[in-house]
C-alpha cells in the first residue's frame, strides 16, 4: 500500500518474479496484481494495490475498494518515499483509521456487554484519567444503549471506548517500508531505520530486501509444522503453515488444517521439536506447536466386528433362556 508510485511494482517484481507495470509517473498500478513469495519453504501471497489519495476513505479514487482488500490481509506493507516528508505516512494512516483499521495497536482491555434490563453497570480495576462514569454514560446514551455492563481493565481513552462499542474495528500489523534510500544521506537512512516498525530498502540497487523478508516473517508469526507418517521419515518439503492470527497453532488446529474429520479419530500425537520436552512427546489436542515441529498422528483403532482386539467383548449365546438349545443327554 502506498500514497503514489514509489516502487511498489518494482518491489513486487523483485520479491515474487511477477511482472507489474512500472513507470516514472505516479499511480502506475491500476488494479490489484498478485504475486507469490517463496520464503522458508512457504508460499506468501503479496498483493500490489493501486496507490490511494487523500479522501480515499470517502470513496475518492476508488479508495474504498483498495482499502477493502487490506482488511482481508495478515500484514500491511506501507511503501513510502524516503526522500519525501512524513506527510504521506500520516495521510495513509488517517485514511485507514477512518474505515476502521488500527495499525500496530492491540484491542483495548475493555469488557462490554449489552443487557436487556438492569441499567448501566460501570466498573474499573484501576484509576481512570481519560474517561469517567458520567462521560461513559453520555457516550452510551448517544448510541442509544441504556442497559449494559462495562469494565475497564486499562486506562483507556474515549476513542478506545468508542471502538469497543462499535465492535467493527480490525487491528492489523503494519511495516513501514522506506524506499529510495540511495538518494538520501546516511544520517537520514539511520534515522528512518531506527523508527519503530520501519525497514529501509532500495529497489534500484536491491539493498536490504532480505531484511524486509525476515521482518515480514517475524511480524506474521507463521509456524511451520512438518508431518511424519508412521514408520517413515518426516516430510520436510511441504509443511503445514499455521498462524496465531488465523485459527491458532494447537494440535487441533493442525488436524483441522489437514481435514475437518480428522480430530475425532486422533488418539494422540507424537511431537518432535521446540515445543516438546522430550523426543518424542505424547501430546493431546490442546498442545501448542512451535515453528519447525514434527508431528505424527496416531489414530484410534477401529473395532473389529464381533470382538475387540484378540478377545471377544460379548458372548454369542442367545439373550433369552427360551431361545437356548437343549443339550443332548449324556451317553452312559
Amino acid at each position: 500500500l502506498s500514497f503514489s508510485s514509489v516502487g511498489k511494482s518494482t518491489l513486487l517484481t523483485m520479491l515474487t518474479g511477477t511482472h507489474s507495470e512500472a513507470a516514472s509517473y505516479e499511480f502506475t498500478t491500476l488494479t490489484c496484481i498478485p504475486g507469490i513469495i517463496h520464503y522458508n519453504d512457504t508460499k506468501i501471497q503479496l498483493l500490489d494495490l493501486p496507490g490511494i489519495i487523500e479522501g480515499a476513505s470517502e470513496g475518492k479514487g476508488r479508495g474504498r475498494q483498495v482499502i477493502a482488500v487490506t482488511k482481508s490481509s495478515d500484514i500491511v506493507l506501507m511503501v513510502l518515499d524516503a526522500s519525501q516528508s512524513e506527510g504521506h505516512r500520516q495521510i495513509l494512516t488517517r485514511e485507514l483509521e477512518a474505515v476502521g483499521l488500527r495499525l500496530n495497536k492491540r484491542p483495548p482491555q475493555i469488557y462490554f456487554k449489552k443487557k436487556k434490563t438492569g441499567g448501566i453497570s460501570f466498573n474499573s480495576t484501576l484509576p481512570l484519567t481519560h474517561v469517567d462514569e458520567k462521560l461513559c454514560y453520555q457516550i452510551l446514551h448517544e448510541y442509544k444503549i441504556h442497559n449494559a455492563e462495562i469494565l475497564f481493565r486499562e486506562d483507556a481513552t474515549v476513542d478506545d471506548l468508542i471502538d469497543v462499542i462499535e465492535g467493527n474495528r480490525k487491528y492489523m500489523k503494519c511495516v513501514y517500508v522506506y524506499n529510495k534510500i540511495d538518494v538520501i544521506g546516511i544520517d537520514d537512512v539511520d534515522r528512518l531505520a531506527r523508527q519503530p516498525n520501519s525497514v529501509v530498502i532500495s529497489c534500484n540497487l536491491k539493498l536490504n530486501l532480505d531484511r524486509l523478508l525476515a521482518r515480514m516473517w517475524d511480524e506474521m508469526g507463521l509456524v511451520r509444522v512438518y508431518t511424519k507418517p508412521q514408520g517413515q521419515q518426516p516430510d520436510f518439503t511441504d509443511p503445514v503453515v499455521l498462524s496465531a492470527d488465523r485459527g491458532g497453532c494447537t494440535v487441533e488446529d493442525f488436524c483441522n488444517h489437514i481435514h475437518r474429520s480428522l480430530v475425532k479419530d486422533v488418539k494422540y500425537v507424537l511431537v518432535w521439536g521446540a515445543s516438546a520436552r522430550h523426543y518424542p512427546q505424547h501430546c493431546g489436542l490442546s498442545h501448542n506447536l512451535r515453528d519447525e515441529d514434527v508431528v505424527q498422528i496416531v489414530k484410534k483403532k477401529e473395532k473389529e466386528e464381533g470382538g475387540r482386539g484378540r478377545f471377544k467383548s460379548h458372548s454369542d449365546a442367545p439373550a433369552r433362556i427360551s431361545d437356548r438349545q437343549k443339550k443332548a443327554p449324556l451317553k452312559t
Side-chain angles (χ1 to χ4, degrees):
L1 192 68
S2 72
F3 185 77
S4 60
S5 180
V6 289
K8 292 190 292 78
S9 303
T10 308
L11 181 63
L12 176 73
T13 304
M14 290 183 178
L15 296 181
T16 66
T18 304
H19 175 71
S20 181
E21 188 68 26
S24 57
Y25 52 87
E26 294 184 347
F27 302 103
T28 311
T29 306
L30 301 178
T31 183
C32 177
I33 302 177
I36 299 296
I37 302 175
H38 296 272
Y39 186 72
N40 287 346
D41 298 330
T42 61
K43 297 179 181 179
I44 303 174
Q45 187 180 44
L46 182 65
L47 301 177
D48 181 14
L49 299 178
I52 63 177
I53 60 176
E54 190 172 3
S57 59
E58 302 173 358
K60 295 183 179 179
R62 302 192 67 179
R64 283 188 174 273
Q65 290 87 335
V66 176
I67 297 176
V69 179
T70 63
K71 287 188 175 182
S72 61
S73 60
D74 296 319
I75 188 173
V76 175
L77 298 181
M78 190 178 293
V79 185
L80 303 168
D81 193 340
S83 60
Q84 300 291 334
S85 62
E86 292 292 319
H88 289 178
R89 172 175 171 174
Q90 297 175 1
I91 293 174
L92 285 171
T93 303
R94 187 166 58 249
E95 294 298 328
L96 294 178
E97 287 187 349
V99 295
L101 287 177
R102 301 294 182 261
L103 303 180
N104 296 325
K105 295 181 180 179
R106 58 178 180 81
Q109 298 297 314
I110 302 176
Y111 173 77
F112 174 74
K113 181 180 180 181
K114 292 183 180 180
K115 297 189 301 183
K116 294 182 179 179
T117 58
I120 297 176
S121 174
F122 179 87
N123 290 297
S124 63
T125 59
L126 73 170
L128 301 178
T129 59
H130 304 285
V131 181
D132 57 1
E133 186 174 357
K134 182 178 179 181
L135 179 59
C136 180
Y137 285 1
Q138 293 176 355
I139 295 175
L140 292 175
H141 288 166
E142 287 291 332
Y143 284 91
K144 298 181 180 179
I145 299 174
H146 305 287
N147 300 285
E149 182 180 356
I150 186 166
L151 172 63
F152 284 81
R153 296 192 178 97
E154 67 175 9
D155 189 13
T157 61
V158 176
D159 294 335
D160 295 334
L161 177 59
I162 294 176
D163 290 345
V164 173
I165 296 174
E166 289 282 351
N168 58 355
R169 306 297 191 246
K170 184 170 183 181
Y171 299 86
M172 301 185 61
K173 298 177 182 178
C174 177
V175 176
Y176 304 99
V177 183
Y178 289 92
N179 189 25
K180 301 181 182 180
I181 61 173
D182 52 324
V183 298
I184 61 176
I186 188 63
D187 295 336
D188 295 332
V189 173
D190 182 71
R191 177 181 57 82
L192 294 175
R194 293 181 182 276
Q195 292 183 2
N197 305 311
S198 300
V199 177
V200 292
I201 64 169
S202 174
C203 293
N204 186 24
L205 301 180
K206 300 180 181 180
L207 297 177
N208 212 26
L209 296 180
D210 53 346
R211 175 57 184 165
L212 174 59
L213 291 175
R215 185 61 180 270
M216 287 172 51
W217 180 268
D218 294 339
E219 293 292 338
M220 295 176 68
L222 299 181
V223 175
R224 295 166 293 173
V225 181
Y226 299 96
T227 58
K228 180 186 181 302
Q230 190 172 3
Q232 302 180 19
Q233 294 295 326
D235 183 13
F236 291 109
T237 57
D238 190 13
V240 177
V241 182
L242 305 176
S243 174
D245 296 334
R246 292 203 175 193
C249 300
T250 62
V251 174
E252 184 177 359
D253 301 324
F254 168 75
C255 296
N256 290 330
H257 196 280
I258 297 176
H259 199 277
R260 289 290 181 181
S261 63
L262 183 60
V263 176
K264 60 182 180 180
D265 297 331
V266 174
K267 184 177 182 181
Y268 62 89
V269 296
L270 299 176
V271 179
W272 294 262
S275 65
R277 297 181 181 179
H278 48 81
Y279 300 149
Q281 180 179 349
H282 288 62
C283 301
L285 296 176
S286 61
H287 178 75
N288 288 316
L289 299 172
R290 296 185 183 179
D291 192 24
E292 295 185 323
D293 277 358
V294 177
V295 175
Q296 175 183 333
I297 299 176
V298 180
K299 301 176 68 176
K300 299 176 183 177
K301 292 184 179 180
E302 298 181 358
K303 292 183 179 181
E304 298 179 2
E305 185 178 357
R308 180 175 57 191
R310 294 167 52 192
F311 306 99
K312 289 186 177 181
S313 60
H314 60 277
S315 174
D316 293 333
R320 295 180 298 176
I321 297 178
S322 60
D323 294 337
R324 294 183 180 178
Q325 295 178 359
K326 189 176 181 180
K327 294 183 179 180
L330 295 176
K331 295 182 179 180
T332 57

